[in-house]
Amino acid sequence: MATIREIAEMAGVSVTTVSRVLNFDDTLNVQDETKRRVFEVADRLEYRIKDRKKRKKKLKLGIFCSYSPEEELEDTFYLSLRIAAEKKIEREGFQKIQIGREICPEDAAKIDGIICLGTFSESTVQKIRDLDRPAVFIDAKGDQELFDSVVVNLTHSVKKVLDYLVEEGHERIAFIGGSDIDSDGKELEDARMPIYCSYMEKKGFLHEDYIRIGGFTSKYGYQLGKELLALKERPTAIFCANDSLAVGCYKAIQEAGLQIPEDISVVGFNDSSMAKYLVPPLTTVHIPMNFMGERAVEVLSERISTNRETSMCIAVSARLVIRESVSKVKQKTEIRIDRGR
């Protein structure tokens, strides 16, 4: 079989140039005519590269976040997703392109595909459609017929929390959730709330007074937690839509002179880095944020390379992480007086 040295001699170039040409080295700066000559000689000598690696296009992937940097720090869920996606992009040798908060048609020329994080109004989704590029949404669905998405199976996750609390004897279970306003001015309901309501109604435990909706930051957990504690018959457990809300709820409970979990149990959602350092450590739902961010990059790059037309939605499972913020409901003991003695 021909060698690289023989090809180099016949093509009139160095051995190094032949090796880099045949291995599709994008950094090699030689004329197209030289490359063509090397390939023609290699073909004439029937040269074959063992385990030749296919040239991998350096994709340019845009990242579009619907929230501000300040909002990202208040609730670190999307921060973790973004960092996971960016690390995967770097490991794959792709190029990351940061898209501004206002998408414009000129962005299409910069990217091969786009990763979308946050909550999106219909008008924003339309701007993403207008880019005419493959897109994947993380923790959102966008246009399900056109775009891919990676989301959490919320129905399964919420039921896991409520099943656990009921098994521990809780019936008076409150819910603290959040809502968003999209760029079109439309209010976006917390997707966990209807799942909670349906579950509690089937059990016969649903009380409207135990449902509190605000934002997703700790200050709302504090305010709404105080409201729940002020009820004549306060709940025995509070399920918070994220860990930031649970942090605020902790503060409200502690200020009221109550103990977690002896007097009231608390469960969070997301399993952020702070959850295990709270006192007591927070029972919460672990969302595989690293997996979601990485999978989004894989799905997008695969769709770009294969021109796949059918969209898909990947629903990932989450697991309940039991720590120390939940206890069994204390059963009231009935004191009987024997009047016969």
Side-chain angles (χ1 to χ4, degrees):
M1 186 178 74
T3 65
I4 288 180
R5 184 174 299 280
E6 290 173 334
I7 297 172
E9 290 175 357
M10 290 186 64
V13 296
S14 69
V15 171
T16 300
T17 297
V18 172
S19 177
R20 294 175 68 182
V21 168
L22 295 180
N23 283 283
F24 299 96
D25 187 341
D26 291 331
T27 65
L28 179 62
N29 185 22
V30 298
Q31 295 182 352
D32 290 342
E33 176 58 34
T34 301
K35 292 181 181 180
R36 187 179 301 109
R37 189 164 67 252
V38 169
F39 283 124
E40 287 176 351
V41 171
D43 184 60
R44 189 158 59 247
L45 296 178
E46 297 183 350
Y47 178 80
R48 295 291 180 269
I49 300 176
K50 294 182 179 179
D51 300 323
R52 177 185 292 182
K53 296 181 180 179
K54 293 182 179 179
R55 178 169 52 178
K56 191 173 186 179
K57 181 182 178 182
K58 186 174 183 179
L59 297 178
K60 295 178 291 183
L61 303 183
I63 292 187
F64 172 55
C65 305
S66 69
Y67 46 82
S68 68
E70 294 76 20
E71 291 170 326
E72 186 181 65
L73 291 175
E74 287 181 345
D75 180 2
T76 59
F77 174 65
Y78 287 114
L79 172 64
S80 299
L81 290 174
R82 177 177 62 77
I83 291 174
E86 289 176 346
K87 286 183 176 179
K88 179 66 173 177
I89 288 172
E90 183 179 357
R91 287 197 301 271
E92 293 295 322
F94 302 148
Q95 183 179 356
K96 184 199 80 172
I97 307 294
Q98 190 66 49
I99 305 297
R101 294 192 68 191
E102 289 296 327
I103 293 180
C104 59
E106 290 76 17
D107 289 325
K110 306 174 186 175
I111 59 174
D112 298 304
I114 185 169
I115 297 169
C116 304
L117 288 142
T119 56
F120 302 93
S121 65
E122 177 53 38
S123 62
T124 302
V125 172
Q126 183 56 53
K127 290 179 181 179
I128 297 171
R129 291 191 194 98
D130 292 341
L131 292 177
D132 193 27
R133 293 289 185 273
V136 59
F137 286 72
I138 309 180
D139 197 48
K141 292 186 178 179
D143 184 335
Q144 295 186 65
E145 293 186 3
L146 192 60
F147 302 128
D148 296 325
S149 57
V150 182
V151 299
V152 178
N153 186 335
L154 286 179
T155 299
H156 173 77
S157 304
V158 172
K159 286 183 176 179
K160 288 282 287 186
V161 171
L162 297 175
D163 282 343
Y164 173 60
L165 290 174
V166 170
E167 287 169 5
E168 295 298 295
H170 294 276
E171 296 180 3
R172 302 200 306 271
I173 304 170
F175 174 75
I176 296 180
S179 64
D180 283 320
I181 304 295
D182 68 22
S183 58
D184 293 341
K186 179 182 177 182
E187 184 175 359
L188 303 174
E189 179 186 67
D190 190 321
R192 284 162 283 250
M193 189 180 75
I195 303 169
Y196 160 87
C197 290
S198 175
Y199 181 100
M200 296 295 285
E201 187 173 27
K202 288 178 182 178
K203 293 285 186 181
F205 300 156
L206 183 63
H207 294 283
E208 296 295 334
D209 284 346
Y210 289 164
I211 301 173
R212 303 285 157 155
I213 303 296
F216 285 101
T217 60
S218 58
K219 73 174 183 178
Y220 288 102
Y222 175 70
Q223 294 170 1
L224 300 175
K226 289 181 69 174
E227 292 177 13
L228 290 171
L229 296 177
L231 294 174
K232 184 176 181 180
E233 187 175 39
R234 68 171 183 253
T236 61
I238 301 176
F239 172 34
C240 299
N242 69 11
D243 293 346
S244 295
L245 289 169
V247 169
C249 201
Y250 264 48
K251 182 181 178 183
I253 293 169
Q254 290 161 356
E255 283 188 0
L258 300 173
Q259 298 293 317
I260 304 169
E262 291 82 3
D263 298 310
I264 189 164
S265 297
V266 180
V267 178
F269 206 94
N270 290 350
D271 195 20
S272 58
S273 57
M274 63 184 168
K276 59 186 174 182
Y277 299 114
L278 294 177
V279 180
L282 178 66
T283 292
T284 184
V285 175
H286 177 76
I287 304 298
M289 290 174 274
N290 286 340
F291 176 84
M292 291 176 69
E294 292 171 358
R295 191 69 181 127
V297 175
E298 292 171 359
V299 167
L300 182 59
S301 60
E302 175 270 327
R303 186 160 194 177
I304 293 170
S305 62
T306 64
N307 293 317
R308 170 169 49 83
E309 294 184 1
T310 302
S311 299
M312 60 182 175
C313 175
I314 300 174
V316 303
S317 61
R319 59 184 174 86
L320 181 64
V321 179
I322 298 174
R323 295 195 177 104
E324 300 172 26
S325 62
V326 174
S327 65
K328 289 185 179 292
V329 174
K330 294 178 181 178
Q331 299 297 326
K332 294 181 179 179
T333 57
E334 183 179 354
I335 300 176
R336 296 185 180 182
I337 301 176
D338 189 344
R339 299 186 183 276
R341 294 185 179 181

